[in-house]
Amino acid sequence: MSAGFDKADTSSETDGISAGADLQTALFDVVCDSLSSAFIIYDKNDHLIFASRQTLEFFPLPPEMLKPGTRLRDFLGAVYDTGIRQQYDVKQRGSLSREDWLSQKIASHWRERFDAVERHAADSWVRFVKRRLPGGYGVTIISDISEDKKREEQWRSDLERVQLTEDILDNLPFPLFVKDRNLTYVAVNLAFCEKYQTTADEVLGRKSSDLFSVEIAKRFEESDRHVLETGEMSVSRQRQISRDGIERDIVSRKHRIGKPGRYFLVSTMQDLPRDGADLDEFGRASAITTSSNQSYRRAYVPVPSAVERREPAAMEAIVPENFSGRKVLVVTSDLAAETAALRTLSKYGFESCSVRGEDEEERFLEIATSSGISLDLLIIDNQMGMRCLELSEQYGIPALVMDGFQIANELTFQIARHFNRNSRNGAAGADSDWEISISDDVVGLQVLVAEDNDINQIVFSQILEGLGYRHMIAATGDEAVRLWAEHRPQIVLMDISLPGFNGFEAARLIRQMEESGGTSHTPIIGVLTQAFERDRAECVKAGMDDVIMKPVSPDMLEAVFQRHLLDEGIRARGCYMSSGPLSGSG
């Protein structure tokens, strides 16, 4: 009786263990199905403990090769025999023998961490993630990343096409700009920027009303809307006086391109010679060919060096007022930049002085505040520490961060642009055809994007405009901090690799300003190019609320906005969007 009972009890126990193992295997398979991946687990003796059935979707193996107890070497040998190997490596390095291939694979399985991507066919990519655990157990995860690779290649192709288009536009000898259906500038070429003595960042995302007098902007808008609504080409000729005082006959042509609902306005401008004179290119030509009957003339014009620097616009051309009495403090340790800056500021009526570091700046601001002296602007060398910018925020003084070259050579333009942007009472006169006055009327800024790559800036702008969000783009970490302080956006998309302050430093500075100023919390989203855990951890450490990966998409950004601004009512309703000072011109 006792023996029979013991025997029956042991049988029940064995059946329970078998049922538990089957359930465990079934659960593993369900997990693999949900992850669309195959899992292989092996022990420290390199014998398979578990191999999910999804493995057969990647390798046409006999099912018995997945049984527990199979040697990892035998399993890999069967994979080799299928003929599915790293084909791109085979082509580049020559075919490996079976033993060499197996040795290479076994070695990779014994590395603590190993990631690899293999191409198994013309349009098939597989990712292997291998981990060897401290106890000796190994895990391999196999995933099909073909769709991701296809999207990546398509994205790369799109970027190349965008870059090619930009290169074509920038090499055109005449100014060109593009507006969207809301009459916002979405593209300008190099000739346009040179003609108006501006940069693309001062034009893109703005409208004619932000850049020109009311009368001129109204005339532009009337013509723009007619072309967009009817599809008729507009051709106009007029005589204008540019900033250099020279009269020019200008011919402008406007065309409509695109599809219904996504129309764009393309406008080109050409200066015509006065009094029958040649085009400017003929005056700069290295050689001119003339036909016998004068039916054509061809000029060969040397191309200027790409490193040549355009002189900034003259101060008198853009200053809206007399700056006499305004007080400016220069913070730089560069003696040459300091001397040039003080000379320039004195020339235009500013009261100015300089300090050499953050300690001197702090003492100066303390004394000035206690004496009732109010500063209008701080000019900070970007080689100085973050403390210099923190002090400007602490004392509520606007700051411009520039490098030494800008302080010495472009200070007039930068300061004039700053005061133009922040002047509430300056009105453009009737003679300001070529004036670029920056409006500060960027009410209710929703999204601030910190991105230094030109193509990525275009992508962000197009997505945010299409989704209907008011946005600005900052090309440096310093500018991102300044724009956040000026406009307090509802959310910040922060690239981590920025010139000046990087994304982590800019985020930390914003958090410090929020804490010291008692302002509300602004969601900051880190924008990463690769999913490195150290970058994610650094984003959290810097005070960011979330991270997203490039390339970004409309769905991705919408999801982020919904997650972090669900109660903010971020979407604008029934109004034209106006991006901030990405740029600005006519």
Side-chain angles (χ1 to χ4, degrees), residues 163-172 189:
Q163 185 61 56
L164 176 62
T165 302
E166 286 188 339
D167 291 343
I168 292 172
L169 295 180
D170 280 341
N171 281 283
L172 293 175
N189 69 349

Side-chain angles (χ1 to χ4, degrees), residues 282-460:
F282 281 85
R284 303 195 304 270
S286 62
I288 297 177
T289 302
T290 304
S291 66
S292 57
N293 60 5
Q294 294 292 317
S295 61
Y296 76 87
R297 301 182 76 211
R298 177 184 292 122
Y300 295 94
V301 183
V303 177
S305 169
V307 298
E308 287 184 6
R309 197 179 188 101
R310 174 175 59 85
E311 289 298 321
M315 184 74 162
E316 293 83 1
I318 54 178
V319 172
E321 58 178 300
N322 181 356
F323 289 129
S324 178
R326 287 187 180 254
K327 298 175 179 61
V328 177
L329 176 65
V330 180
V331 185
T332 179
S333 58
D334 185 332
L335 182 59
E338 173 190 344
T339 303
L342 294 179
R343 185 187 305 119
T344 299
L345 292 168
S346 175
K347 176 182 176 182
Y348 291 103
F350 290 96
E351 294 181 13
S352 60
C353 60
S354 64
V355 293
R356 299 290 180 82
E358 55 190 41
D359 292 337
E360 290 185 21
E361 177 190 0
E362 184 170 16
R363 287 195 295 272
F364 184 97
L365 295 178
E366 287 176 357
I367 295 172
T369 302
S370 62
S371 303
I373 299 173
S374 176
L375 294 179
D376 297 290
L377 184 64
L378 291 180
I379 306 296
I380 301 176
D381 192 322
N382 69 354
Q383 296 303 310
M384 309 304 293
M386 291 177 61
R387 177 63 177 157
C388 293
L389 196 58
E390 293 174 6
L391 287 169
S392 72
E393 173 69 17
Q394 178 181 332
Y395 283 88
I397 305 171
L400 291 179
V401 180
M402 292 180 261
D403 59 36
F405 181 91
Q406 289 176 308
I407 293 176
N409 298 275
E410 299 182 359
L411 189 60
T412 54
F413 179 75
Q414 298 288 349
I415 288 182
R417 184 173 64 174
H418 166 78
F419 283 113
N420 269 332
R421 180 179 292 135
N422 292 282
S423 173
R424 296 182 177 274
N425 301 318
D431 59 348
S432 59
D433 287 19
W434 302 90
E435 186 76 24
I436 302 177
S437 59
I438 309 300
S439 169
D440 70 341
D441 189 22
V442 186
V443 178
L445 176 65
Q446 296 170 302
V447 185
L448 173 60
V449 180
E451 174 58 65
D452 62 320
N453 183 281
D454 293 339
I455 295 177
N456 289 339
Q457 289 180 355
I458 294 173
V459 172
F460 272 111

Side-chain angles (χ1 to χ4, degrees), residues 526-571:
V527 183
L528 310 181
T529 55
Q530 293 179 310
F532 291 137
E533 286 303 319
R534 62 177 181 271
D535 288 338
R536 292 177 180 270
E538 188 65 22
C539 286
V540 174
K541 187 177 178 181
M544 298 188 195
D545 301 89
D546 203 346
V547 295
I548 57 175
M549 304 298 299
K550 294 180 182 177
V552 297
S553 66
D555 292 342
M556 182 189 299
L557 294 186
E558 281 280 34
V560 168
F561 296 154
Q562 291 296 320
R563 187 158 59 247
H564 294 279
L565 297 167
L566 190 60
D567 298 325
E568 296 286 343
I570 187 173
R571 177 66 61 85

Side-chain angles (χ1 to χ4, degrees), residues 167-176 189-195 268-271 279-281 284 301:
D167 291 343
I168 292 172
L169 295 180
D170 280 341
N171 281 283
L172 293 175
F174 50 84
L176 176 146
N189 69 349
L190 185 60
F192 179 95
C193 295
E194 290 177 346
K195 183 180 184 67
T268 60
M269 293 170 285
Q270 185 171 10
D271 292 357
L279 295 170
D280 291 342
E281 285 79 5
R284 303 195 304 270
V301 183

